[in-house]
């Protein structure tokens, strides 16, 4: 049995863990990171990156397929496109592999030791790792738990056969003829839309009364409209009851109690994710939990001294950039810097068609907090750039305090709006006021002019409407 010791041990090399380890290494902290699979975690291997690759491929294919079907406003005509999904998946795997190597290289450059294997706590300062070379014992002064999250399985629809998770969906080499997606949240809508564009007949089953219940209806409406245009059927207020006895179909109870049978070559279950809190010895260190997640304070400290937790294992919002920001902060704390979680907001971006962005408070949230607000909304249909992109749906909406015009939140829905999320977040973090947005020259013609005009609308004098 080998033994090593370090100042900081990070468990899990997802975006939270590997960023924490790299930053700690940069700051001269003697750091070891343990990863059971490939570096990059859920995000890089089976989440953010591969799903966005598939969405891009589906967008490209869908565009050509529409032209081939005779949609010819631009004067472009093409013949029917073909699709070799196995090649698409190989291309996606190539990107993932490049990034895996990139993460390993960055860890090495920062002087971090990467140990491959499954880690398990013996006590708060000792971890055992089952490696290919045998058991490795690591003694450490401080630990960061960054074990991430995993897919949730429905008891009536266990994974296997036609019932697949998002991880399986990203490795399919043939487009299913019929696909039923259970859950109309982030993953269900992103992947459901992609498979519809690739040619599958998609039905989405959602338990709540509408799609994307986490966003307000103004934001989800353009997405719902697009799903109709793509031929995606959406069944809301419905619950999946299991595989139909006839096979290759899903039994569903509709909102009115009616039994439905939905034909399905594949059933993609995307009903949320759960923290990975089992198998690594939580019982040995007995940390406080909160609704299935590790409980942390504003410095990501758990209930045990010297033990931190970051990322999905600590709960919502389960987003890669939150894990990254927590990882960077904890590395600095371990290196002796004074840091605490002081971010104004964690931006949320849903890569649906069109994309949705939400940063900070919605109007309802601000009002519920007792704040009097001024808000401005500007539609993309009045933006020249949106017309040139043939995508005029959606809007940008700004919520500000009525008294001093400090921005509280920015939401938007529209094609390519994901790229505006950084300017929305920057405005909030910098404490911008409506007048700052109005005084900033926004390049023309760009979608970002929607942000300028929403600011002007909140001040009562939009120009282009
Ligand atoms: P993870 O990325 O889950 O990494 C945890 C790592 O720890 C894993 O590699 C695991 O193998 C390892 N590990 C766990 N236990 C042990 C152990 N005991 N020993 C050794 N190693 C261990 N988020 C976004 O912000 N934007 C998106 O567009 C987006 N798209 C997504 C699409 C899909 C299909 C999915 C599933 C998720 C998506 N997410 C997205 C969410 C994002 O992937 C997660 O929020 C992010 O990966 C969380 O990072 P993490 O570091 O906390 O954990
Ligand atoms: P989600 O929470 O976004 O959506 C789950 C949906 O399933 C909800 O609308 C819920 O009402 C519905 N649901 C739950 N049980 C159901 C049932 N029995 N039958 C029918 N519907 C049911 O979860 P997700 O889509 O699995 O994504 C998990 C997490 O991954 C997200 O919360 C997010 O944090 C992260 N993610 C982020 C992005 C992004 O940032 N673009 C993309 C993908 C995933």
């Amino acid at each position: 049995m080998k033994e090593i010791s370090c100042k900081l041990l990070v468990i899990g090399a997802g975006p939270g863990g590997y960023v924490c380890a790299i930053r700690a290494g940069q700051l001269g902290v003697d750091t070891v990171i343990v990863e059971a699979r490939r570096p990059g975690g859920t995000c890089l291997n089976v989440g953010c990156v591969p799903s966005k690759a598939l969405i891009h491929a589906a967008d490209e294919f869908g565009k050509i397929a529409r032209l081939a079907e005779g949609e010819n406003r631009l004067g472009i005509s093409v013949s029917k496109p073909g699709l070799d999904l196995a090649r698409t998946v190989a291309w996606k795997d190539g990107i993932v592999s490049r990034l895996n190597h990139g993460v390993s290289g960055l860890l090495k450059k920062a002087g971090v030791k990467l140990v491959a294997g499954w880690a398990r706590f013996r006590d708060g300062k000792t971890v055992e790792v089952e490696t290919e070379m045998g058991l490795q014992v690591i003694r450490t002064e401080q630990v960061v738990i960054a074990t991430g999250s995993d897919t949730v399985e429905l008891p009536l629809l266990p994974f296997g056969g036609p019932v697949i998770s998002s991880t399986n969906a990203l490795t399919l080499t043939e487009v299913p003829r019929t696909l039923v997606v259970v859950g109309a949240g982030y993953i269900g809508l992103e992947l459901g839309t992609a498979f519809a564009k690739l040619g599958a007949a998609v039905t989405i089953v959602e338990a709540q009364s509408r799609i994307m219940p986490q966003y307000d209806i103004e934001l989800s409406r353009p997405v719902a409209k697009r799903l109709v245009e793509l031929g995606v059927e959406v069944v809301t207020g419905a619950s999946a009851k299991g595989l139909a006895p006839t096979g290759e179909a899903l039994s569903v109870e509709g909102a009115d109690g009616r039994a439905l049978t939905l034909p399905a070559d594949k059933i993609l279950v995307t009903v949320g994710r759960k923290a990975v809190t089992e198998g690594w010895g939580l019982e040995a260190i007995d940390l406080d939990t909160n609704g299935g997640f590790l409980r942390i304070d504003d410095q990501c400290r758990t209930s045990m001294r010297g033990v931190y937790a970051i990322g999905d294992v600590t709960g919502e919002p389960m987003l890669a950039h939150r894990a990254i920001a927590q990882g960077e902060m904890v590395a600095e704390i371990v290196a002796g810097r004074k840091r605490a979680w002081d971010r104004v907001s964690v931006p949320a971006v849903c890569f649906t068609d069109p994309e949705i962005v939400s940063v900070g408070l919605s109007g309802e949230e601000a009002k519920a907090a007792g704040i009097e607000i001024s808000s401005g909304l500007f539609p993309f249909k009045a933006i020249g750039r949106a017309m040139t992109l043939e995508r005029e749906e959606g809007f940008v909406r700004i919520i500000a305090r009525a008294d001093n015009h400090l921005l509280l939140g920015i939401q938007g829905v529209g094609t390519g709006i994901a790229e505006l999320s950084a300017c929305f977040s920057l405005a909030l973090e910098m404490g911008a006021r409506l007048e700052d947005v109005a005084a900033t020259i926004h390049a023309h013609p760009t979608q970002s002019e929607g942000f300028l005009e929403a600011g002007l609308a909140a001040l009562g004098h939009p120009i282009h409407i």
Side-chain angles (χ1 to χ4, degrees):
M1 190 192 300
K2 287 186 289 180
E3 248 187 63
I4 54 174
S5 58
C6 58
K7 174 155 184 194
L8 176 65
L9 173 65
V10 181
I11 301 178
Y18 84 71
V19 168
C20 182
I22 289 172
R23 185 67 190 125
Q26 286 174 345
L27 291 165
V29 178
D30 173 23
T31 306
V32 173
I33 188 165
V34 187
E35 172 53 59
R37 302 186 190 99
R38 289 183 298 171
T42 303
C43 172
L44 202 163
N45 294 295
V46 294
C48 325
V49 173
S51 63
K52 270 74 235 179
L54 187 73
I55 289 168
H56 170 68
D59 282 346
E60 296 296 295
F61 182 78
K63 221 182 279 171
I64 302 166
R66 277 204 320 276
L67 290 173
E69 280 160 16
E71 187 191 293
N72 191 8
R73 282 184 299 178
L74 305 186
I76 302 169
S77 52
V78 296
S79 52
K80 197 168 180 271
L83 178 72
D84 179 349
L85 190 59
R87 262 177 83 172
T88 313
V89 168
W91 162 76
K92 177 264 295 177
D93 289 344
I95 296 173
V96 170
S97 169
R98 264 167 65 196
L99 291 169
N100 290 140
H101 287 110
V103 171
S104 301
L106 292 170
L107 287 167
K108 199 168 167 195
K109 186 171 153 220
V112 176
K113 183 176 169 55
L114 173 61
V115 175
W118 183 261
R120 182 185 290 273
F121 280 92
R122 219 187 244 178
D123 58 50
K125 302 242 179 264
T126 320
V127 166
E128 298 176 350
V129 185
E130 293 157 27
T131 74
E132 272 185 3
M133 325 272 278
L135 201 69
Q136 166 99 66
V137 175
I138 306 175
R139 297 197 189 282
T140 183
E141 289 173 31
Q142 314 206 50
V143 193
V144 175
I145 300 169
T147 50
S149 64
D150 207 347
T151 41
V152 166
E153 196 171 45
L154 287 175
L156 293 173
L157 270 181
F159 293 122
V163 184
I164 60 171
S165 68
S166 57
T167 301
N168 309 130
L170 292 166
T171 58
L172 290 178
T173 49
E174 273 179 38
V175 178
R177 239 173 351 104
T178 48
L179 173 71
V180 174
V181 179
V182 181
Y186 279 89
I187 302 178
L189 289 178
E190 288 186 0
L191 294 185
T193 305
F195 277 103
K197 288 178 181 175
L198 292 171
V202 176
T203 305
I204 301 181
V205 176
E206 166 59 47
Q208 303 282 321
S209 58
R210 62 184 180 85
I211 63 161
M212 316 216 73
Q214 63 269 61
Y215 290 111
D216 67 61
I217 195 148
E218 282 186 332
L219 287 170
S220 62
R221 195 176 287 125
V223 176
K225 185 166 166 259
R226 183 79 181 119
L227 289 174
V228 172
E229 287 165 11
L230 289 168
V232 174
E233 199 179 324
V234 178
V235 186
T236 54
S239 54
K241 291 289 164 200
L243 284 175
T246 50
E248 300 202 340
L250 177 71
S251 297
V252 169
E253 187 180 316
D256 50 7
R258 216 160 29 103
L260 304 170
T261 303
L262 304 173
D265 290 340
K266 296 281 179 210
I267 299 164
L268 170 59
V269 177
T270 55
V271 293
R273 293 181 61 82
K274 59 171 193 268
V276 174
T277 52
E278 284 172 15
W280 48 258
L282 174 61
E283 55 291 345
I285 49 175
D286 194 26
L287 302 179
D288 286 357
T289 56
N290 182 10
F293 300 104
L294 296 185
R295 192 168 66 73
I296 52 166
D297 67 7
D298 66 349
Q299 292 186 309
C300 293
R301 291 181 299 195
T302 65
S303 51
M304 181 181 268
R305 200 182 166 85
V307 179
Y308 298 82
I310 58 174
D312 283 9
V313 74
T314 65
E316 298 284 353
M318 287 195 263
L319 298 173
H321 41 276
R322 170 176 171 267
I324 288 169
Q326 289 178 322
E328 184 264 349
M329 178 187 80
V330 168
E332 297 219 337
I333 292 171
V334 169
R337 299 199 177 179
K338 277 200 161 44
R339 291 283 304 271
W341 189 258
D342 58 356
R343 311 298 167 102
V344 177
S345 81
V346 179
V349 178
C350 195
F351 293 82
T352 37
D353 183 2
E355 293 161 355
I356 295 179
V357 173
S358 179
V359 180
L361 300 183
S362 67
E364 292 310 313
E365 285 165 341
K367 282 185 211 158
I371 306 171
E372 204 186 322
I373 61 164
S374 288
S375 67
L377 182 149
F378 196 83
F380 281 122
K381 67 173 185 281
I383 296 284
R385 182 61 177 147
M387 294 176 200
T388 67
L389 293 170
E390 301 179 279
R391 298 305 301 267
E392 299 175 28
E393 70 284 342
F395 58 84
V396 180
R397 182 175 64 201
I398 295 187
I399 312 294
R401 289 185 68 99
D403 52 4
N404 61 8
H405 294 174
L406 180 75
L407 299 197
L408 298 171
I410 306 158
Q411 299 87 38
V413 50
T415 300
I417 201 169
E419 294 302 327
L420 291 184
S421 64
C423 97
F424 296 166
S425 294
L426 187 67
L428 249 59
E429 293 291 344
M430 300 283 292
R433 291 164 200 268
L434 290 173
E435 287 77 2
D436 298 313
V437 178
T440 303
I441 297 178
H442 289 71
H444 176 75
T446 63
Q447 300 274 77
S448 74
E449 288 171 282
F451 181 42
L452 168 67
E453 289 280 2
L456 293 173
L459 289 168
H461 50 85
I463 299 290
H464 289 95
I465 206 158

